[in-house]
């Protein structure tokens, strides 16, 4: 899909970077750099977008609509980034990466509707099962596993406390929260252990960290968790923990018919030859209010750049001049979570016959969280199994075949012998993908948001930052990615 580029004709059009510098008898270092940059450019556009995930694609689309000449440089041989569906031999499609959407994710759903991609509510009929630490199965209906009154009250109180604290955290500047210093000086783990005396409630809160943030409670700053709760909403609906963690009525309420990858590929089709694949960006040189973006095999000059990557990947690009230290230090401290995702495909969703909805939460096993991932018409069955946080880390050195077997052993334990023989098996090991290096969300450890957070969206010269990890609503989600891209484009269009 790489464009056939004619460097000489583009430069010959007289729009080369720093043309003025070439007329001076002697040059300042800045002029010399600009002239060098002009010489190095293969293409000149108004804005270069780095990364063709949902954020980069949404940014490019809006910039094009605003009349800008745009080029998108994507490292992989496909678009979508952490959104990627695969075709099955049975003719269906399964989501290797992101899949769920829910209430208040308005921009993503509006974009999908505009592109002709519909949503459907995930399968929720029947019982969920909770597996205790000793492997005992407890069937239940509703949002929470059965527990005694004292545990129920303790959990409710802790969730209320977290929501109340989250309501004090501004979504666009969490580091300005009234108690930001105190909240950012502790992990979620230390808060749970110090504030919740009931064993069951503590266990469920640690499980929420693993399931909803794909990270262990000891990894994450309490301020980050509160921010992540606060952004689980939109301009008119403040975020709350229940929406963030729920299936029905929450972040995992619905899926896209045919998968969300279509949202990315349809935007890519609209961008046409403005999109260049297999072009990892290695260097961004700024000079004289312009930038030269250097990818493998292609250099593009522009008056603005949108880097639509998770901070940790943005930090792997070389910048000249160097970025402000706060920004660089932020990218050194903003990891993506550890996540793998497996989907076992069957002829039928056989667990439904046993009155199960496919949802398991377990305190042991390689996979501790499962969902019914069958298509809307249930014409075949699919069980989705997450490996979050420590579970993803534990299998890092293991082959795909052994991970598959470990997941199937768990599925047999949860759903019976029929789970042992899927017709197909999909495995996404996101930590091992060069251009993801982890899943979602990104998160920060104590001390990061309050010391380095201000650099998350602050432009560096002509470089604007986008990506789900920069979003002020549904940060770390597809909704956040779309919003962040559109926001960066709006900022550029505003000038
Ligand atoms: C397993 C998994 C499950 C998820 N589940 C959900 C879910 O159910 N619902 C939900 O809303 N979200 C979910 N997410 C999160 C969601 O996928 C992301 O928040 C969102 O897709 C991020 O989009 P993005 O454009 O910001 O970043 P990315 O998708 O990471 O896009 C960045 C792009 O930049 C490219 N790139 C990287 N480096 C370079 C470089 N140097 N030069 C050029 N290009 C580069 C990458 O190849 C990629 O295409 C999930 C993520 C994973 C991994």
């Amino acid at each position: 899909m790489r464009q056939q580029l004619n460097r000489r004709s583009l430069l010959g059009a007289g729009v080369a970077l720093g043309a003025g510098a070439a007329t001076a008898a002697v040059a300042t270092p800045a002029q010399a750099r600009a002239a060098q940059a002009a010489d190095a450019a293969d293409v000149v556009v108004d804005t270069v977008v780095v990364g063709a995930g949902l954020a980069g694609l949404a940014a490019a689309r809006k910039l094009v609509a605003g009349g800008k000449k745009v080029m998108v440089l994507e490292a992989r041989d496909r678009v979508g980034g952490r959104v990627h569906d695969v075709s099955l031999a049975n003719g269906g499609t399964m989501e290797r990466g992101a899949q769920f959407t829910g209430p208040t994710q308005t921009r993503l759903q509006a974009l999908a509707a505009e592109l002709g991609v519909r949503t459907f509510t995930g399968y929720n009929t029947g019982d969920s099962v909770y597996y205790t630490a000793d492997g005992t199965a407890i069937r239940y209906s509703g949002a929470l596993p059965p527990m005694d009154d004292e545990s129920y009250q303790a959990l409710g109180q802790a969730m209320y406390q977290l929501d109340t604290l989250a309501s004090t955290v501004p979504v666009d500047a969490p580091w300005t929260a009234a108690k930001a210093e105190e909240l950012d000086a502790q992990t979620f783990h230390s808060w749970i252990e110090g504030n919740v005396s009931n064993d069951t409630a503590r266990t469920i809160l640690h499980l929420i960290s693993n399931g909803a943030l794909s990270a262990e409670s000891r990894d994450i700053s309490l301020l980050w968790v509160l921010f992540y709760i606060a952004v689980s909403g939109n301009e008119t609906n403040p975020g709350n923990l229940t929406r963030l963690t729920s299936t029905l009525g929450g972040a995992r309420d619905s899926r896209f018919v045919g998968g969300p990858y279509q949202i990315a590929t349809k935007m890519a089709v609209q961008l046409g030859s403005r999109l260049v694949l297999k072009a990892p960006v290695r260097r961004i040189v700024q000079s004289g209010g312009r930038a030269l973006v250097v990818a493998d095999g292609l250099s593009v000059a522009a008056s603005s750049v949108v880097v639509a990557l998770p901070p940790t990947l943005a930090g792997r690009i070389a910048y000249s001049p160097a970025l402000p230290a706060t920004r660089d230090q932020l990218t050194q401290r903003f990891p993506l979570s550890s996540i793998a995702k497996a989907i076992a495909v069957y002829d039928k969703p056989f667990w439904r016959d046993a009155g199960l909805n496919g949802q398991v939460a377990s305190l042991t096993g390689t996979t501790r969280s499962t969902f019914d991932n069958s298509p809307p018409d249930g014409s075949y069955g699919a069980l989705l199994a997450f490996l979050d946080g420590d579970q993803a880390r534990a299998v890092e050195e293991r082959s795909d075949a052994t991970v598959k077997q470990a997941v199937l052993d768990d599925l047999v334990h949860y759903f019976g012998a029929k789970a042992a023989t899927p017709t197909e098996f999909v495995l996404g090991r996101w930590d091992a993908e060069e251009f993801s290096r982890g899943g979602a969300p990104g998160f920060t450890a104590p001390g990061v948001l309050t010391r380095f957070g201000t650099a998350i969206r602050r432009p560096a010269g002509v470089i604007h930052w986008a990506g789900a990890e920069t979003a002020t609503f549904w940060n770390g989600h597809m909704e956040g990615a779309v919003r962040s891209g559109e926001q960066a484009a709006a900022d550029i269009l505003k000038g």
Side-chain angles (χ1 to χ4, degrees):
M1 194 159 175
R2 169 91 49 113
Q3 279 193 325
Q4 290 304 311
L5 298 163
N6 182 336
R7 174 177 170 227
R8 206 151 279 292
S9 66
L10 284 157
L11 292 177
V15 284
L17 183 70
T23 60
V26 291
T28 63
Q31 285 171 324
R33 275 201 304 274
Q36 157 115 26
D39 198 38
D42 296 312
V43 187
V44 179
V45 295
D46 296 321
T47 306
V48 176
V49 176
V50 182
L54 290 189
L57 293 167
R61 193 169 179 265
K62 190 170 175 109
L63 286 163
V64 170
K68 294 285 182 193
K69 191 173 173 195
V70 173
M71 180 157 281
V72 182
L73 300 177
E74 164 57 45
R76 286 178 162 103
D77 61 359
R78 62 166 180 84
V79 295
R82 286 171 277 171
V83 175
H84 187 215
D85 305 334
V86 291
S87 301
L88 301 176
N90 71 7
T93 301
M94 279 290 132
E95 306 96 323
R96 268 183 83 238
Q99 65 173 62
F100 292 114
T101 184
T104 75
Q105 299 188 353
T106 39
R107 274 311 306 146
L108 173 70
Q109 289 168 16
L111 174 63
E114 203 184 316
L115 295 167
V117 182
R118 288 179 296 119
T119 58
F120 68 101
T121 308
Y123 188 80
N124 264 302
T125 308
D127 290 343
S128 308
V129 190
Y130 176 63
Y131 283 84
T132 60
D134 65 9
T136 307
I138 304 174
R139 278 177 81 132
Y140 67 98
S141 58
L144 287 171
M147 58 186 89
D148 59 62
D149 285 353
E150 195 188 318
S151 305
Y152 191 74
Q153 273 175 17
L155 182 62
Q157 201 179 356
M159 290 178 72
Y160 175 76
Q161 269 179 284
L162 289 167
D163 279 343
T164 305
L165 283 171
S167 71
T168 69
V169 176
V171 292
D172 56 351
W175 47 89
T176 64
K179 292 185 178 166
E181 288 288 331
E182 182 187 327
L183 302 172
D184 204 29
Q186 55 190 306
T187 62
F188 189 31
H189 186 281
S190 47
W191 184 86
I192 295 169
E193 295 300 312
N195 289 272
V196 184
S197 55
N198 179 277
D199 284 350
T200 307
R202 274 204 308 269
T203 301
I204 298 221
L205 289 167
H206 290 301
L207 202 59
I208 283 177
S209 176
N210 177 273
L213 290 109
S214 302
E216 303 305 322
S217 54
R218 64 170 184 275
D219 296 339
I220 319 176
S221 157
L222 175 63
L223 181 60
W224 177 270
V225 174
L226 298 173
F227 164 69
Y228 205 64
I229 295 170
V231 299
S232 302
N234 60 17
E235 289 80 356
T236 46
N237 301 279
N240 61 62
L241 188 53
T242 302
R243 192 182 299 116
L244 173 63
T245 54
S246 294
T247 302
L248 207 57
R252 290 173 171 170
D253 182 272
S254 300
R255 293 162 59 205
F256 293 94
V257 180
Y261 190 45
Q262 299 165 95
I263 303 171
T265 55
K266 287 181 182 231
M267 284 196 281
V269 167
Q270 292 179 344
L271 289 169
S273 61
R274 299 179 188 93
L275 171 66
V276 184
L277 301 178
K278 295 196 246 180
V281 169
R282 307 294 184 189
R283 196 154 48 92
I284 302 180
V285 181
Q286 298 195 60
S287 178
R290 294 181 63 80
L292 181 75
V293 180
V294 183
D296 286 2
L298 177 67
S299 300
V300 190
S303 54
S304 57
V305 180
V306 177
V307 174
L309 310 181
T312 184
L313 293 182
R316 287 170 186 262
I317 295 174
Y319 299 87
S320 174
L323 295 178
T326 308
R327 168 75 202 180
D328 189 70
Q329 293 264 318
L330 177 72
T331 65
Q332 295 179 45
R333 291 168 164 82
F334 203 144
L336 289 178
S337 61
S338 308
I339 188 169
K341 188 177 169 186
I343 302 174
V345 179
Y346 304 93
D347 288 335
K348 280 177 52 185
F350 59 84
W351 51 94
R352 293 182 185 179
D353 299 339
L356 297 175
N357 63 16
Q359 290 165 42
V360 162
S362 175
L363 296 182
T364 61
T366 296
T367 175
R368 301 182 178 194
S369 170
T370 71
F371 292 86
D372 183 324
N373 220 50
S374 310
D377 62 3
S379 53
Y380 62 91
L383 284 171
L384 154 61
F386 281 114
L387 284 71
D388 292 302
D390 276 353
Q391 286 76 58
R393 295 162 192 165
V395 300
E396 189 192 308
E397 312 254 308
R398 293 166 70 179
S399 68
D400 286 359
T402 51
V403 174
K404 174 181 174 183
Q405 196 51 57
V407 169
L408 291 180
D409 290 348
D410 284 346
L411 293 180
V412 167
H413 178 49
Y414 300 149
F415 298 104
K418 285 184 185 163
T421 48
T423 54
E424 295 181 60
F425 191 83
V426 176
L427 182 61
R429 304 179 75 170
W430 290 90
D431 309 17
E433 297 212 7
E434 181 181 5
F435 295 110
S436 289
R437 296 183 188 264
F443 63 87
T444 58
V448 177
L449 269 183
T450 43
R451 290 299 173 274
F452 307 98
T454 52
I456 186 66
R457 282 180 304 280
R458 189 194 296 148
V462 301
I463 303 175
H464 296 250
W465 310 105
E469 284 68 30
T470 70
T472 53
F473 285 111
W474 290 105
N475 188 297
H477 290 77
M478 292 185 280
E479 168 78 7
V482 171
R483 280 175 175 263
S484 76
E486 292 181 342
Q487 185 59 54
D491 292 345
I492 288 170
L493 291 172
K494 262 195 323 222

